[in-house]
Amino acid sequence: MASAPGATDPARIKKISNQELMIVWQDGHQSRYRGPVLRGQCPCATCQDEDTGQRLILPIHVPDDLEFRRIEMVGRYALQFEWSDGHRTGIYSFELLRRLCPCAGCRAGASVRT
Amino acid sequence: MTAQNTPLSDERVLAELRKVNDPDLQKDIVTLGFVRNLSIDGGAVRFDINLTTPACPVKDQMRDEAERLVEAIPGVATVSVNMTAEVQSSPQMAKGALENVRNVIAVGSGKGGVGKSTIAVNLAAALSGSGARVGLLDGDIYGPSLPIMLGVTAAPDHADGKITPRESAGLRFMSMGLLVKTPDQPLIWRGPMAHKAFQQCLFDVAWGELDYLVVDLPPGTGDVHLTLAQSVPMTGAVIVSTPQDVGLQISVKTLRMFEQTKVPILGIIENMAYYICGHCGAKDPIFGEGGARRAASEMGIPFLGEVPLDMAIRSQADLGTPIVVADPEAASSVVLRQISEQLAAQVSIRNYNAPVLEIE
Ligand SMILES: Nc1ncnc2c1ncn2[C@@H]1O[C@H](COP(=O)(O)OP(=O)(O)OP(=O)(O)O)[C@@H](O)[C@H]1O
Ligand SMILES: [Mg+2]
Ligand SMILES: [Zn+2]
Ligand SMILES: [Zn+2]
């Protein structure tokens, strides 16, 4: 999966509110994530079957008022969220976060690719 | 020349020192803030040059150039330059659990047995010999080899709930081999136990202030690397390869693993690259020359150097004293020291250019 240089390297990470996160990437792209949506995309083994990739938790399973309790860097490559429902086992690599960018441009690109 | 009449001033001296460049950071030493404690007393000029590592490969060259330029200023009688160094912290390190450790450097490879542990021990000892504060962590929780290579196998002491690292060859080191009396078979850790065991060796140790913590990884791409990458923002990794891993093919998987966890590759070292004849000292490129160097340049990765196949490297490791300490003037020690300086330079470059990232 070749991508533009810096496309998966964040230049800024900003928690806009308890429900919204912004990442500005080194290629200039900006992503704004809604917390509850991200929670429904959690890549951990309880939320997604490790072997089949089948999702066990989907965004529709997540209450709309779910909040970030804590956001931490994992080494140099990922973010870990602790949510107001207590869940905290998901490690979201920057590669994954870039793929999850909800902006219209990325969604359009994603639907072509998959 | 009108300068003769201008009295000697700080500005005049600094103007000359601006001509001295740090070739790694590609800026002059005044702009970089390396010149400290400048004093002018009559014709006597004194200053410090504070580098980003005591293992700077061009330290002497920079000192000589600075001396020469300032000496040439009319009115200057004597110049005394004091070389100092202060290793910079990798930007994210200072906030984490290992806040007193400035840089974590992993040593990895694709294949086993290429000499990772041997190289890691010697690079760490060479960095320490240059004056840096260095720790060495045996990441090989399955088959720890550092206690033998460093000649210390006794269990470490504890103080205030932390493990006191053992000292040898100027290093503070920690190994699972100090905690578990290892039989000859490899240790087996089930699932999350490997993660815990390694984290204990990393976090439960009173490392104290360290400029560099070198981590010797087990062969291949596994749990330990992932645990390390998740636990600390590493400054980067060094890949050891041998001429047999044709075109580094075997290490590509390892490179990919580092890439996925955003661990910068500081460079590639080719081990057992050539043979030094024990009788006449001649160099013999038994496996053909320059494979790793070429592959590194194709991949845009710094090539740090080649280490010869040298029985003295092995026998010193078996005796428990790394060759750079046991026989510092040996040809292989000179090469290993040069490689450690190239590595230190790459660390400085990374830290100088690294953006500081925090969650706002
Ligand atoms: N440049 C060298 N010249 C001679 N012998 C060497 C050299 N480098 C390593 N060796 C020897 O090769 C053997 C393997 O080295 P070492 O244990 O350092 O490899 P390793 O990559 O750490 O292995 P493992 O993958 O099992 O951890 C040792 O006996 C060591 O002394
Ligand atoms: Mg080893
Ligand atoms: Zn989850
Ligand atoms: Zn987008």
Side-chain angles (χ1 to χ4, degrees):
Chain A
M1 198 193 66
S3 48
T8 60
D9 297 304
R12 272 185 72 190
I13 304 172
K14 189 174 164 65
K15 184 175 151 189
I16 292 172
S17 71
N18 284 338
Q19 287 209 305
E20 206 178 356
L21 175 79
M22 178 183 77
I23 299 180
V24 182
W25 303 95
Q26 287 181 21
D27 67 354
H29 195 75
Q30 235 188 63
S31 306
R32 275 170 172 262
Y33 303 93
R34 290 231 334 116
V37 176
L38 276 182
R39 170 68 184 89
Q41 296 166 321
C42 177
C44 87
T46 25
C47 298
Q48 174 172 319
D49 190 293
E50 273 184 286
D51 298 321
T52 63
Q54 195 202 339
R55 293 221 49 90
L56 308 172
I57 294 283
L58 289 164
I60 48 158
H61 297 128
V62 180
D64 232 22
D65 58 357
L66 191 86
E67 298 186 344
F68 298 117
R69 212 184 263 162
R70 197 159 56 188
I71 306 176
E72 276 173 6
M73 289 277 291
V74 179
R76 308 173 66 111
Y77 78 102
L79 293 179
Q80 186 163 17
F81 304 104
E82 185 181 321
W83 309 93
S84 52
D85 64 4
H87 193 65
R88 52 161 298 143
T89 43
I91 292 179
Y92 294 67
S93 70
F94 292 123
E95 234 164 76
L96 173 65
L97 285 165
R98 180 64 192 247
R99 259 187 283 133
L100 295 178
C101 176
C103 85
C106 290
R107 288 304 96 213
S111 61
V112 173
R113 267 204 305 276
T114 49
Chain B
M1 281 297 207
T2 54
Q4 258 139 5
N5 304 325
T6 341
L8 204 48
S9 65
D10 285 9
E11 289 68 38
R12 184 75 187 82
V13 173
L14 291 175
E16 283 307 306
L17 291 177
R18 274 184 201 282
K19 296 177 188 163
V20 182
N21 273 303
D22 182 315
D24 295 318
L25 303 182
Q26 300 180 348
K27 291 218 168 68
D28 73 83
I29 59 173
V30 177
T31 304
L32 287 167
F34 288 180
V35 179
R36 308 263 174 102
N37 302 322
L38 173 61
S39 78
I40 302 175
D41 183 7
V45 180
R46 300 169 167 277
F47 53 91
D48 300 344
I49 298 180
N50 187 42
L51 301 175
T52 53
T53 174
C56 176
V58 289
K59 184 170 163 178
D60 296 344
Q61 185 187 316
M62 275 159 62
R63 187 199 47 223
D64 294 350
E65 197 184 347
E67 230 165 45
R68 190 171 48 74
L69 286 164
V70 176
E71 258 164 16
I73 303 173
V76 171
T78 61
V79 181
S80 114
V81 187
N82 179 34
M83 300 302 283
T84 59
E86 198 180 329
V87 175
Q88 301 300 302
S89 198
S90 177
Q92 252 68 251
M93 274 308 280
K95 286 180 240 87
L98 292 176
E99 54 182 346
N100 296 323
V101 176
R102 298 187 173 194
N103 294 284
V104 176
I105 302 165
V107 178
S109 71
K111 237 179 16 169
V114 298
K116 279 178 306 298
S117 303
T118 309
I119 300 271
V121 168
N122 277 287
L123 292 184
L127 288 170
S128 161
S130 77
R133 299 163 298 179
V134 184
L136 178 62
L137 170 58
D138 194 343
D140 200 339
I141 52 173
Y142 310 97
S145 55
L146 296 192
I148 301 285
M149 290 187 181
L150 287 165
V152 178
T153 51
D157 296 327
H158 292 252
D160 303 327
K162 290 257 187 187
I163 299 167
T164 311
R166 284 278 171 202
E167 297 200 18
S168 178
L171 305 170
R172 293 171 218 160
F173 84 98
M174 175 60 191
S175 169
M176 195 36 83
L178 298 175
L179 300 183
V180 184
K181 280 304 137 222
T182 40
D184 290 333
Q185 315 91 340
L187 296 169
I188 295 169
W189 303 96
R190 278 176 219 293
M193 290 309 291
H195 184 79
K196 281 229 176 70
F198 177 71
Q199 283 206 321
Q200 185 189 6
C201 293
L202 179 64
F203 291 123
D204 294 357
V205 174
W207 292 109
E209 292 272 341
L210 290 183
D211 294 318
Y212 306 106
L213 175 60
V214 177
V215 183
D216 175 25
L217 292 177
T221 55
D223 297 345
V224 171
H225 165 266
L226 195 61
T227 299
L228 182 61
Q230 291 179 350
S231 304
V232 287
M234 278 182 264
T235 304
V238 172
I239 308 273
V240 179
S241 80
T242 61
Q244 286 95 324
D245 353 341
V246 194
L248 285 173
Q249 274 165 18
I250 298 158
S251 303
V252 164
K253 233 173 110 187
T254 311
L255 289 174
R256 181 73 193 121
M257 168 184 78
F258 284 121
E259 198 179 283
Q260 276 175 348
T261 45
K262 303 247 178 237
V263 176
I265 306 295
L266 298 167
I268 291 179
I269 296 169
E270 189 167 69
N271 190 26
M272 310 195 222
Y274 54 91
Y275 175 74
I276 295 186
C277 174
H279 303 291
C280 68
K283 258 186 167 187
D284 180 3
I286 23 177
F287 308 108
E289 240 163 334
R293 184 188 296 272
R294 225 175 8 255
S297 101
E298 275 162 20
M299 291 186 284
I301 296 170
F303 184 71
L304 301 179
E306 292 164 339
V307 180
L309 177 67
D310 175 2
M311 279 324 291
I313 293 180
R314 171 186 293 226
S315 50
Q316 288 304 341
D318 294 346
L319 290 171
T321 310
I323 190 166
V324 295
V325 175
D327 188 1
E329 300 317 317
S332 295
S333 298
V334 173
V335 168
L336 284 159
R337 207 154 47 233
Q338 283 166 350
I339 293 175
S340 77
E341 292 172 354
Q342 292 305 321
L343 172 60
Q346 288 304 322
V347 169
S348 296
I349 292 170
R350 283 282 164 187
N351 289 344
Y352 185 70
N353 293 325
V356 184
L357 189 63
E358 22 186 271
I359 299 167
E360 302 162 41

